[in-house]
Amino acid sequence: MMRLLRSLALLAAGLAAGRRLRRPTTTPASPVAPPPAPTRWRDRLRIIGAFVGMLVLLGLLVAATGLIPVKASTGHFAVTRWFLDWSKARSVSTHSAGIHPPPRDSLLHPSLVLRGAGHYETGCRPCHGIPTMPRPRIAREMTAEPPSLSTQIEAFEDEELFYIVMHGIKFTGMPAWPARERDDEVWAMVGFLRTLPTLDAADYRRLVRGDAPASLDAEPLADLLGPQGTPRALTTSCARCHGLDGAGRGAGAFPKLAGQRYEYLYAALRAYAVGSRNSGIMEPIAGGLTDDELRALARHYAALPPPAPEAAPADAIERGRTLAENGLPAQGVPPCAACHGPGAGPRNPHFPDLAGQYADYLVLQLTLFAEERRGGSPYAPLMHPAATGLTAEQRRDVAAFYAALPPMAKSQNP
């Protein structure tokens, strides 16, 4: 490398000497007028361009020799780390400037925080750790090292957290959100991250798992126990959010799955697995399961007794009943009962039963359908015009009606 640098210096000196020799000599009696200003600027620009080109060439030569280490074991130089952190902070601040977060009390609503907690355990804990416990050893050997969010989250504004969770960060291993149509899920993560510094280990476990047992993966010689009645995915992932009883942990953060139609549950899981139904929380989980596991989960939840209905204001229920039974022909909204009941007529088994479902969850799904951000099975487009024709208040009314409706008779499941 030193020889290369000396050769480049000698070459530059030789070129300069050659230019001096080629200059015409002048006598003191007839001095040459200085070149006009544009010519002088052109000469300076040529010199600057040659210098920059030499630096670029030198950089390419250094890179081509392979002398730059890329090993994570040595980390960055202090100045490199400072520059990268500073650049990252400035980029996040600039690009998040147009994001408008919800009010802080809405962001910290228990149901929103609960939704974020379930995904943090699956997608974030392996790198960022949990309260009162050190980060995983593998993550601490990464470059850049994932920060401990319990101690550093206060350094970010809400909109900056949203931007980072939604889009990830290049060259750090921080991935983008798998379903960028789902702002609601990303805000749920922001709400949980805001809560994270206040949690101890017991609080964290309560939020993440509720009454779900620890994973069976750690059970010794589990394969010798014989066939299991409970799908393994239920205890490793599903019960954290939906509960062992399929009642969605009682907060409205997650849907009730107990007693739902098998055909609908399996189709929904398949849609998540192939990415046609948008959810950054469900897509990675369903995508990691085999078809047999998806069917086993659908059978398990379909066989559970349906949970009790929700209470709702009587006037909202009555308005919702009128909408469900008659629709709104002037607004292009068909009767909901034609596909979702109640009623004695035959219904497509791929259409979900809505009786007793959480009202907040139903409102969210109608909103996603209206904005065409939900996706789903091949039947999902049927909901777009129906949901678009409803006002926000009408969505709440029809959701209140179905939430208060007693469970219907269960369909036959395989």
Side-chain angles (χ1 to χ4, degrees):
M1 183 56 64
M2 293 303 298
R3 289 178 181 174
L4 176 62
L5 292 175
R6 282 198 296 270
S7 298
L8 291 172
L10 290 173
L11 177 61
L15 290 173
R19 289 189 63 182
R20 287 196 298 269
L21 290 173
R22 287 195 299 272
R23 286 179 183 170
T25 58
T26 58
T27 62
S30 56
V32 178
T39 304
R40 290 200 300 270
W41 274 109
R42 278 195 218 100
D43 289 341
R44 291 172 184 171
L45 287 175
R46 288 194 192 98
I47 294 172
I48 293 172
F51 179 73
V52 171
M54 192 174 295
L55 288 179
V56 171
L57 178 61
L58 180 61
L60 290 173
L61 290 172
V62 171
T65 62
L67 294 178
I68 301 175
V70 296
K71 54 187 179 182
S73 59
T74 57
H76 289 307
F77 294 118
V79 65
T80 305
R81 185 167 56 251
W82 170 86
F83 179 77
L84 292 175
D85 288 343
W86 177 76
S87 301
K88 176 181 66 178
R90 295 311 309 145
S91 176
V92 170
S93 177
T94 298
H95 289 280
S96 64
I99 298 173
H100 303 290
R104 184 58 69 90
D105 57 344
S106 299
L107 195 62
L108 298 181
H109 191 278
S111 64
L112 204 65
V113 172
L114 194 62
R115 288 174 68 198
H119 181 73
Y120 184 92
E121 173 71 6
T122 302
C124 309
R125 175 183 175 176
C127 287
H128 296 287
I130 61 175
T132 71
M133 292 185 65
R135 281 166 296 155
R137 180 60 183 267
I138 291 178
R140 282 183 280 155
E141 297 299 326
M142 294 172 65
T143 301
E145 185 178 340
S148 174
L149 298 182
S150 297
T151 59
Q152 299 186 26
I153 208 69
E154 294 301 328
F156 298 93
E157 301 293 336
D158 292 341
E159 60 270 22
E160 292 176 330
L161 290 174
F162 177 91
Y163 181 82
I164 293 172
V165 174
M166 174 64 85
H167 300 290
I169 301 178
K170 294 178 180 178
F171 308 122
T172 66
M174 172 68 188
W177 193 253
R180 282 182 282 286
E181 303 86 352
R182 296 295 302 271
D183 289 10
D184 59 298
E185 292 181 335
V186 178
W187 283 122
M189 283 300 306
V190 174
F192 173 75
L193 292 174
R194 280 286 175 235
T195 307
L196 186 62
T198 68
L199 304 177
D200 59 22
D203 294 332
Y204 177 84
R205 189 192 183 286
R206 211 163 25 245
L207 268 178
V208 167
R209 291 192 172 275
D211 60 355
S215 169
L216 293 179
D217 288 346
E219 187 174 356
L221 303 179
D223 292 339
L224 299 183
L225 299 179
Q228 302 298 303
T230 302
R232 185 175 295 274
L234 176 70
T235 54
T236 56
S237 299
C238 307
R240 285 206 305 266
C241 297
H242 299 287
L244 287 171
D245 58 359
R249 295 184 59 184
F254 311 104
K256 299 175 182 178
L257 303 182
Q260 186 56 259
R261 293 179 166 205
Y262 163 82
E263 294 87 351
Y264 171 75
L265 289 174
Y266 172 67
L269 287 169
R270 281 289 304 159
Y272 282 130
V274 301
S276 61
R277 181 167 175 179
N278 304 317
S279 173
I281 296 173
M282 281 298 302
E283 285 180 28
I285 294 173
L289 301 176
T290 66
D291 190 70
D292 287 342
E293 289 173 320
L294 298 179
R295 292 182 181 275
L297 285 170
R299 278 193 294 269
H300 172 83
Y301 279 116
L304 295 176
E310 243 185 292
D315 55 345
I317 292 175
E318 192 55 38
R319 291 193 300 268
R321 183 192 306 278
T322 302
L323 283 171
E325 293 177 353
N326 304 319
L328 293 168
Q331 296 174 217
V333 179
C336 308
C339 294
H340 301 288
R347 291 187 291 124
N348 189 325
H350 290 88
F351 297 161
D353 287 332
L354 303 184
Q357 187 58 266
Y358 291 116
D360 287 345
Y361 177 77
L362 293 176
V363 169
L364 173 62
Q365 300 310 301
L366 287 170
T367 302
L368 293 173
F369 273 127
E371 297 172 356
E372 298 191 14
R373 294 191 292 121
R374 180 184 182 275
S377 73
Y379 297 99
L382 297 175
M383 281 297 301
H384 293 161
T388 303
L390 295 172
T391 66
E393 182 178 2
Q394 289 168 339
R395 291 172 198 159
R396 288 193 294 270
D397 288 343
V398 76
F401 165 68
Y402 275 109
L405 197 65
M408 305 175 200
K410 292 202 309 182
S411 57
Q412 295 299 314
N413 301 314

